[in-house]
C-alpha cells in the first residue's frame, strides 16, 4: 500500500487575451516575500482537467500527442496524463503586486490550480552533459 | 475554500553509503519506458519529515537556515517547510534496471516518498536572462 498525501491549491492561473498572472490566495501571501528578487519561477500546477481515476492510470503515451513519436512512459515525458497530475514549468516574472504574480506566459489553462511556487536558480546541470532521445 | 488533491507515492528514494537509487513501485513500472534515453530526470519527492499541520503553516524562512540571509517567503526558496511539501531536484541517471533508477546523488533521505518523475530537457531559460537576489 503506497502512502498518500494531500495538497491544497495555493493559488490560481489567470489568463486573458492581454495578460497572464497567478492569483495567490490571501492566506499564502506572506510566502511571496522576496520573490521579486528573481526573474523566473518554477510554477507547479495541477492538471485538473485530467483528474479522473482512468486518466491517472495512463502510463504510456505518444509524446506531444504525435503518433510518429515512440510509445513512451509518462515518467519520460511531461504528459498531462500521469499518476500524480503535477505540472512543472518555468515562467518569467513581469511584476509582483500584492498577492498577484504577473508572468510572461504559461502553458496552463485559465483556472488551473497552482500547488507550489519555487524560485528558479540555473546551473544545476550543464547543457553539454545532457543527453536526449531522438523524439525530443 | 481552496481545492484539495491527493497524491499517491509512486516510488521511494533509497540510499546506502555506496549508491543511490529510486525504487519505482511495480504498478508504475510501465511508466519508465524510454526514460533510458535521457541523461537526467526531475525527481519530485515529498518532504515527509515535515508533514505536520504546523510545519505546513510556515510561510517565511531564513534561506539555507542561515540567519544572515534575509527572512524570505517560502515560495521564493526551495525550503522543505512549505504549504505543499513538494521537493524538486534534478538527478543524473546512471542506469535503469527494471523498476530501479540508479542515480548519481539526490538531496533526499533514504525512504523519501517519490511522487513524480519527469524527463529533464534543458534550454527553457537562457542563463543570461536570469536575475537572482544577493542571498543566492
Amino acid at each position: 500500500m503506497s502512502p498518500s498525501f494531500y495538497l491544497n491549491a495555493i493559488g490560481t492561473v489567470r489568463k486573458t487575451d492581454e495578460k497572464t498572472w497567478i492569483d495567490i490566495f490571501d492566506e499564502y501571501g506572506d510566502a511571496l516575500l522576496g520573490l521579486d528578487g528573481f526573474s523566473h519561477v518554477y510554477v507547479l500546477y495541477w492538471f485538473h482537467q485530467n483528474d479522473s481515476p482512468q486518466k491517472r492510470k495512463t502510463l504510456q503515451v505518444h509524446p506531444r500527442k504525435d503518433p510518429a513519436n515512440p510509445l513512451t512512459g509518462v515518467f519520460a515525458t511531461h504528459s498531462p496524463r500521469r499518476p500524480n497530475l503535477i505540472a512543472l514549468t518555468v515562467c518569467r516574472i513581469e511584476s509582483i503586486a500584492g498577492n498577484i504574480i504577473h508572468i510572461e506566459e504559461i502553458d496552463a489553462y485559465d483556472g488551473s490550480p497552482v500547488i507550489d511556487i519555487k524560485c528558479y536558480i540555473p546551473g544545476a546541470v550543464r547543457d553539454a552533459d545532457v543527453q536526449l532521445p531522438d523524439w525530443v
Side-chain angles (χ1 to χ4, degrees), chain A:
Chain A
M1 185 68 188
S2 69
S4 292
F5 312 104
Y6 73 92
L7 298 170
N8 296 315
I10 54 103
T12 312
V13 172
R14 292 297 175 203
K15 288 175 135 175
T16 66
D17 288 346
E18 291 82 31
K19 52 185 187 169
T20 303
W21 69 99
I22 297 170
D23 266 333
I24 300 294
F25 299 141
D26 285 347
E27 66 193 284
Y28 300 109
D30 288 345
L32 296 176
L33 180 66
L35 188 62
D36 56 0
F38 290 89
S39 59
H40 294 75
V41 280
Y42 287 110
V43 178
L44 290 85
Y45 62 94
W46 195 250
F47 289 124
H48 65 301
Q49 296 192 342
N50 288 323
D51 200 349
S52 72
Q54 198 55 44
K55 288 185 178 170
R56 292 180 71 152
K57 283 183 186 152
T58 305
L59 296 184
Q60 298 184 343
V61 296
H62 293 280
R64 298 167 185 165
K65 294 185 185 168
D66 183 345
N69 285 330
L71 194 64
T72 302
V74 295
F75 295 159
T77 75
H78 287 238
S79 169
R81 292 192 174 201
R82 52 202 312 116
N84 293 316
L85 303 166
I86 301 172
L88 171 66
T89 191
V90 179
C91 298
R92 172 181 273 280
I93 298 173
E94 292 190 333
S95 63
I96 300 178
N99 296 344
I100 294 176
I101 308 170
H102 293 277
I103 54 176
E104 200 170 74
E105 59 180 356
I106 190 169
D107 56 356
Y109 294 104
D110 180 57
S112 292
V114 176
I115 55 175
D116 204 1
I117 300 282
K118 296 178 192 292
C119 62
Y120 175 77
I121 301 174
V125 180
R126 295 190 317 162
D127 284 5
D129 293 336
V130 174
Q131 286 135 41
L132 302 169
D134 289 341
W135 68 260
V136 175

